[in-house]
Amino acid sequence: MPRVPVTPGATTPNDSSEVGHCMNGSVAIGHVTAVRGAVVDVEFDTGSLPPLNTALLVAWGPKPLVLEVHSHLDSRTVRAIALQRTSGLARGTQVHMTGTPITAPVGDAVLGRLLDVVGATRDRGASLPSDTPRRSIHAAPPALADEVATGAVFETGIKVIDLLAPLATGGKAAMFGGAGVGKTVLVMELIHAMVEKYQGISVFAGVGERSREGHELLTDMQRSDVLARTVLVYAQMNEPPGARWRVPMTALTIAESFRDQQHRNVLLLMDNVFRFVQAGSELSSLLGRLPSRVGYQPTLATEVAALQERIASVAGAAVTAIQAVYVPADDFTDPAVTAISSHTDSIIMLSRSLAAQGFYPAIDPLASSSVLLDPLIVGEEHYRVAERVRETLARFKDLQDIIALLGVEELSASDRMLVKRARRLQRFLTQPFSVTEAFTGIPGSSVHRVDTFSGCRAILDGETDDWAENSLYMIGTLDEARRKDAAADAQAAAR
């Protein structure tokens, strides 16, 4: 087999010089035989073919194009997936076999940096040091005997989450919602809320994000001085499906390195996991597979499981994952949604109806759930209050059709009282966010779990029956509502 040294091509200091770390000095030569979007067929003249999931480099243009071997077509040809654009790629272009998988830079050097799917820096900063360690983006999940489960509650400071769908330290939570109901804002607020109380490492994976959202997140982190403990890994919406399909693996590899080698707790945030599934569906079509339900790839469950099962905690270090999931057409029975939800500990459902009424965060208190909402974990008092809140809101939902037809006056006295308290609960569970302060003018608030369920208990016990409903809207603790109501009474008396 002929072997020649590889010259990846000219690279800018902040572009793809890191890609060269995929190579091991000298490589075998092949050439492109077919290009179908992000899928490229490569033929090698002699010798053995590169193993699956290994990297190939196409030395063309200003920077090398990275491919990943997906399958062997015959004894001389492989089918590979491109992680960058293939526009202009021609048949006969030389391809170099690296003999190694795609790797991601890991360790303290990546803290505060924005990387792409192959580990190249994209924040206009200096290149990573040449001695930065790297790990393959493909890894097996920890052995079942090595995994640990924790019952510790991961406080977010967001009332409706901490009360009705508490997150677990070392667990997996997913936020499901259609377009425009506040998933990305909620993820950004969780990042902001964790700055002071959470001293671990944060890894953010932007899967199919808009350029504007990525820029806003980077700017916000720089302004709030949290970037030094955060790694951002992005594959934007306009990038090929191969990049969007593999970028969660890159982010997860960085998180696993901090967990396994430095034994540090990691907060892993992914927005949006549906774009990972969507990228896999695009590639499946290009690879010629027959579609499955609703047009999704037949390997949907396997691909989701391969990603989700790597998110695990081991003794001494926990990986806590919070994932935003787009729900196409608000259909919560969509195969992608059900495949992802089967791997989560906490499910947070966002409601378009609540968003339309101005209740933010627009989290549905009845559809959201968590395995941690158990008296043995959150405590008997928290559990009882949460159940009372659910019962009250569920009864209020049942009465809404009657109210719309006949009016509140036609209800019994007990039901009228229940409706009054349910409406106050709905407003108390709203909350101003720090990340929206520039738009609303209302300072954000973070509420302790104890203050949340004590406030709900006070509303259920009738302590706020004489307060104006508006005093409970978009506030933090019940004390804020009390001051707001007193100020409104004083203003009314002055008139």
Side-chain angles (χ1 to χ4, degrees):
M1 179 186 302
R3 291 192 171 267
V4 297
V6 168
T7 304
T11 58
T12 61
N14 187 40
D15 208 355
S16 58
S17 57
E18 290 90 342
V19 175
H21 289 277
C22 290
M23 302 181 304
N24 59 357
S26 62
V27 294
I29 296 293
H31 61 276
V32 174
T33 58
V35 182
R36 288 179 298 279
V39 174
V40 179
D41 290 351
V42 181
E43 182 178 339
F44 292 89
D45 296 331
T46 57
S48 60
L49 296 179
L52 300 185
N53 295 331
T54 56
L56 306 176
L57 290 182
V58 183
W60 72 310
K63 59 182 181 180
L65 167 66
V66 181
L67 309 176
E68 184 181 66
V69 178
H70 179 270
S71 60
H72 293 174
L73 299 183
D74 54 44
S75 61
R76 297 176 57 184
T77 309
V78 301
R79 181 157 288 170
I81 293 170
L83 301 188
Q84 286 107 1
R85 295 181 182 277
T86 57
S87 300
L89 183 62
R91 292 181 181 178
T93 305
Q94 282 193 347
V95 179
H96 307 284
M97 186 196 307
T98 66
T100 62
I102 295 170
T103 60
V106 297
D108 291 337
V110 300
L111 291 174
R113 304 306 302 270
L114 188 150
L115 310 174
D116 66 10
V117 64
V118 295
T121 55
R122 297 299 182 196
D123 52 11
R124 298 182 181 177
S127 297
L128 296 174
S130 58
D131 60 349
T132 302
R134 301 180 74 93
R135 289 177 58 159
S136 167
I137 66 170
H138 300 282
L144 187 60
D146 297 331
E147 292 188 25
V148 295
T150 65
V153 175
F154 189 83
E155 275 201 37
T156 65
I158 298 174
K159 291 182 289 189
V160 64
I161 292 178
D162 290 340
L163 178 70
L164 299 175
L167 310 186
T169 299
K172 291 191 282 283
M175 296 178 294
F176 298 93
V181 296
K183 296 184 300 299
T184 299
V185 171
L186 194 53
V187 168
M188 292 177 68
E189 181 64 19
L190 283 167
I191 294 172
H192 195 277
M194 296 304 153
V195 174
E196 295 180 359
K197 64 178 69 175
Y198 183 78
Q199 297 302 316
I201 299 296
S202 296
V203 178
F204 180 86
V207 187
E209 287 289 274
R210 301 173 182 88
S211 303
R212 170 187 56 79
E213 293 171 340
H215 179 73
E216 288 176 357
L217 181 62
L218 180 61
T219 304
D220 184 64
M221 285 189 167
Q222 289 171 335
R223 189 167 50 240
S224 56
D225 296 327
V226 300
L227 197 57
R229 297 198 308 271
T230 305
V231 186
L232 305 177
V233 188
Y234 266 86
Q236 294 174 184
M237 188 177 285
N238 62 337
E239 293 190 50
R244 289 179 271 123
W245 193 50
R246 285 310 189 203
V247 75
M249 303 295 188
T250 303
L252 192 49
T253 299
I254 296 171
E256 289 170 337
S257 173
F258 285 113
R259 178 197 68 189
D260 299 336
Q261 297 178 352
Q262 299 190 20
H263 305 290
R264 300 172 75 174
N265 292 335
V266 181
L267 176 62
L268 177 65
L269 301 118
M270 285 193 280
D271 186 11
N272 184 310
V273 181
F274 178 79
R275 304 297 179 199
F276 160 76
V277 173
Q278 192 176 47
S281 180
E282 293 175 39
L283 290 171
S284 182
S285 297
L286 292 171
L287 291 167
R289 296 176 183 151
L290 289 174
S292 182
R293 285 181 57 205
V294 200
Y296 284 109
Q297 62 270 42
T299 54
L300 171 64
T302 304
E303 291 174 8
V304 170
L307 174 67
Q308 297 290 344
E309 292 308 303
R310 283 179 62 182
I311 305 173
S313 301
V314 297
V319 175
T320 304
I322 301 174
Q323 309 165 44
V325 184
Y326 167 70
V327 180
D330 291 343
D331 179 11
F332 289 93
T333 64
D334 186 86
V337 174
T338 55
I340 295 167
S341 64
S342 64
H343 293 273
T344 59
D345 304 310
S346 302
I347 296 175
I348 300 167
M349 294 290 193
L350 283 89
S351 165
R352 191 171 301 280
S353 172
L354 291 174
Q357 296 175 65
F359 294 134
Y360 289 102
I363 296 172
D364 189 332
L366 300 178
S368 302
S369 62
S370 171
V371 296
L372 266 72
L373 195 58
D374 186 287
L376 298 176
I377 298 174
V378 297
E380 190 69 37
E381 187 177 11
H382 180 156
Y383 179 76
R384 283 202 306 268
V385 171
E387 287 299 294
R388 288 181 64 192
V389 167
R390 284 189 191 277
E391 290 172 6
T392 302
L393 294 176
R395 178 60 180 161
F396 176 52
K397 185 177 180 180
D398 291 340
L399 293 171
Q400 282 181 332
D401 287 342
I402 298 175
I403 295 170
L405 290 171
L406 304 176
V408 179
E409 296 77 11
E410 297 301 317
L411 300 177
S412 65
S414 61
D415 281 344
R416 286 200 300 273
M417 182 61 67
L418 181 143
V419 168
K420 176 190 287 190
R421 292 174 183 175
R423 288 174 60 87
R424 282 162 172 75
L425 277 175
Q426 277 187 328
R427 285 150 180 77
F428 179 66
L429 292 178
T430 63
Q431 188 170 342
F433 282 173
S434 298
V435 296
T436 59
E437 184 176 344
F439 308 104
T440 63
I442 305 173
S445 63
S446 178
V447 183
H448 289 294
R449 187 163 59 103
V450 174
D451 293 331
T452 297
F453 68 73
S454 63
C456 290
R457 183 179 56 209
I459 293 170
L460 290 167
D461 291 343
E463 294 181 24
T464 64
D465 286 353
D466 297 330
W467 297 8
E469 286 182 359
N470 192 51
S471 64
L472 293 158
Y473 179 69
M474 282 295 172
I475 50 93
T477 63
L478 201 63
D479 289 337
E480 290 180 42
R482 185 177 288 108
R483 291 193 296 269
K484 191 175 176 181
D485 186 69
D489 288 345
Q491 189 175 8
R495 293 174 184 169

